[in-house]
Amino acid sequence: AKAVKHLTPVALELGSKCPCIVDWLDSKRDRQIAVNRIIGAKWSTCAGQACIAIDHVIVEERFAPILIELLKSTLKRFMAKPGGMARILNAKHFERLSGYLEDNRVAASVVHGGYMDPKKLNIEPTLLLNPPADSDVMTEEVFGPILPIITVKKIEDCIAYLKSKPKPIAMYAFTNNERLKRRIVEETSSGSVTFNDAVVQYALESVPFGGVGHSGFGQYHGKYSFELFSHKKAVFKRSFLIEFMFRYPPWDESKIGTLRHVFSYNYFLLFFNLLGFRR
């Protein structure tokens, strides 16, 4: 409302469900690093309570059991000490998140975690496997320590899945497949795409940050913040040396034809027209 009143440029940053595509990774080391970074982006600092946190994972059916076991074992190692993860912001958000898990259909999809402590506002890192697509946890931004894992027959099927959803503020993909990377960039729309890591793009002032479509508009960070709030004034200077009389009446077919070339940016035909050549 303030921006409208003063006609001030704005960047509108909205929430979204940031997807994370996890492709089959042949190297055990690559798989472990991917899991480390997924956990870091989802649970390590603010328990998933960030607009750019991973909202859900998309993975091939055959890789899902391996990914889940890796997530479980790594979470156990990373979260061994009490207080290893942030609390939920307040009671209102705790009730919202606990409400997701109280849905019987969602509760049936829990494959890890699910413990909640309303007094301390703590929710254990929780993994869901294929919760119902129409459940609240899959239609609303999670913004918490609950991670749905969605399986597809082939990893390429993620493209159609992503195109059917609102455009997120960030998209992540762990893959060594260059063709898949290219398809994600060219065929999907999001505020940003990060390959083989997550959330870290926010820390780079050389990378513009912002959403698209449902996730907002405008970009900021570093020079992009300066450009957002700067007006690019157009300045055009001419001399009196050359004058084009086709700009002025009286009109005839020659002048109208020349103007058509000007307005269609057809400078090739305009050049020949000015030389006196006609089609």
Side-chain angles (χ1 to χ4, degrees):
K2 299 275 187 184
V4 169
K5 181 179 179 181
H6 299 286
L7 298 179
T8 303
V10 298
L12 185 61
E13 180 188 319
L14 303 175
S16 65
K17 293 181 72 65
C18 299
C20 176
I21 303 155
V22 183
D23 192 10
W24 174 264
L25 299 169
D26 293 323
S27 164
K28 288 184 179 180
R29 180 177 181 276
D30 289 355
R31 290 200 290 265
Q32 185 60 63
I33 290 174
V35 166
N36 293 348
R37 292 174 180 177
I38 290 169
I39 291 174
K42 180 64 175 179
W43 292 290
S44 68
T45 52
C46 54
Q49 298 170 102
C51 66
I52 55 173
I54 294 173
D55 183 273
H56 56 284
V57 164
I58 305 168
V59 64
E60 280 189 3
E61 286 181 354
R62 67 188 179 111
F63 186 38
I66 297 172
L67 176 63
I68 290 170
E69 288 307 313
L70 269 174
L71 285 166
K72 286 181 180 180
S73 61
T74 308
L75 278 168
K76 184 177 180 180
R77 184 157 41 89
F78 283 2
M79 307 291 181
K81 295 181 180 180
M85 189 178 72
R87 297 184 302 169
I88 305 307
L89 180 64
N90 54 41
K92 178 181 178 181
H93 281 291
F94 183 91
E95 291 174 7
R96 175 183 61 83
L97 290 164
S98 61
Y100 294 156
L101 299 179
E102 288 167 1
D103 181 334
N104 290 332
R105 300 177 303 158
V106 174
S109 70
V110 174
V111 292
H112 177 78
Y115 173 76
M116 297 178 285
D117 186 341
K119 290 184 179 179
K120 294 183 178 179
L121 298 180
N122 284 332
I123 296 179
E124 183 182 11
T126 301
L127 305 177
L128 311 177
L129 181 59
N130 290 322
D134 62 346
S135 60
D136 288 345
V137 77
M138 288 307 300
T139 56
E140 299 175 3
E141 182 182 5
V142 174
F143 209 77
I146 302 169
L147 181 64
I149 298 172
I150 309 304
T151 61
V152 290
K153 293 289 185 183
K154 298 184 300 181
I155 199 62
E156 290 78 11
D157 295 341
C158 72
I159 301 295
Y161 176 88
L162 294 170
K163 290 172 71 173
S164 70
K165 305 297 180 183
K167 300 172 181 179
I169 197 168
M171 186 180 296
Y172 308 109
F174 290 85
T175 179
N176 292 320
N177 185 330
E178 295 301 323
R179 183 173 181 274
L180 179 61
K181 289 179 183 179
R182 186 169 61 252
R183 288 194 64 191
I184 290 170
V185 171
E186 295 177 355
E187 299 180 35
T188 68
S189 181
S190 59
S192 66
V193 180
T194 299
F195 291 111
N196 298 328
D197 212 333
V199 175
V200 294
Q201 79 280 1
Y202 185 79
L204 303 174
E205 69 171 19
S206 59
V207 175
F209 178 75
V212 59
H214 286 79
S215 56
F217 58 80
Q219 296 176 316
Y220 62 100
H221 272 193
K223 72 170 185 176
Y224 302 98
S225 300
F226 179 82
E227 291 176 351
L228 173 67
F229 296 108
S230 299
H231 170 62
K232 298 179 178 66
K233 181 190 291 185
V235 178
F236 179 70
K237 297 180 179 179
R238 281 203 64 200
S239 72
F240 296 105
L241 182 62
I242 299 175
E243 179 70 316
F244 295 111
M245 296 306 294
F246 64 80
R247 298 168 54 188
Y248 313 113
W251 305 112
D252 57 30
E253 287 301 318
S254 175
K255 289 183 177 180
I256 292 173
T258 303
L259 286 174
R260 284 198 179 102
H261 296 324
V262 172
F263 293 134
S264 63
Y265 302 102
N266 194 333
Y267 300 119
F268 182 76
L269 291 179
L270 173 63
F271 175 73
F272 280 97
N273 198 303
L274 293 174
L275 292 177
F277 296 100
R278 300 290 185 269
R279 293 184 63 180

